[in-house]
Amino acid sequence: TVDVCDIYNITYSLNDPDDAVTVAFYYDTDSSGLNGTVLTGSCASAGEGTGATCAWDTGGVAPGSYSVYGVSNDGNGPVGAYSVGQVTITGARVAP
């Protein structure tokens, strides 16, 4: 669970020994179809790594529960996969 406008870190592992590969992350309201909204910032085109992290700025995302998925591309065609579980974004933060 994360509040609207907070940063949610997405940790992933991506490796292709034959080609350079990147991944773009998306969110949607279910865990099927690969038909969501692309994340901006460092999660829009993240590079290879084991235990790598990109930061999702949840500002502008409506409160709700979302599935996150990545679409990797090594130049030989895209491959998509959903993460396990969902991210829940709660209402607007209260100023301190």
Side-chain angles (χ1 to χ4, degrees):
T1 300
V2 62
D3 289 332
V4 169
C5 297
D6 279 351
I7 300 297
Y8 182 82
N9 289 318
I10 296 172
T11 302
Y12 64 95
S13 294
L14 179 67
N15 182 31
D16 184 333
D18 300 322
D19 300 297
V21 62
T22 60
V23 62
F25 288 97
Y26 299 75
Y27 68 95
D28 70 8
T29 57
D30 58 22
S31 58
S32 66
L34 301 174
N35 58 351
T37 302
V38 69
L39 303 183
T40 59
S42 65
C43 293
S45 182
E48 291 184 69
T50 299
T53 302
C54 68
W56 175 17
D57 180 352
T58 63
V61 178
S65 293
Y66 297 97
S67 297
V68 175
Y69 65 91
V71 177
S72 63
N73 197 334
D74 64 359
N76 296 311
V79 176
Y82 280 90
S83 66
V84 176
Q86 291 188 316
V87 176
T88 300
I89 299 176
T90 58
R93 294 185 301 193
V94 176

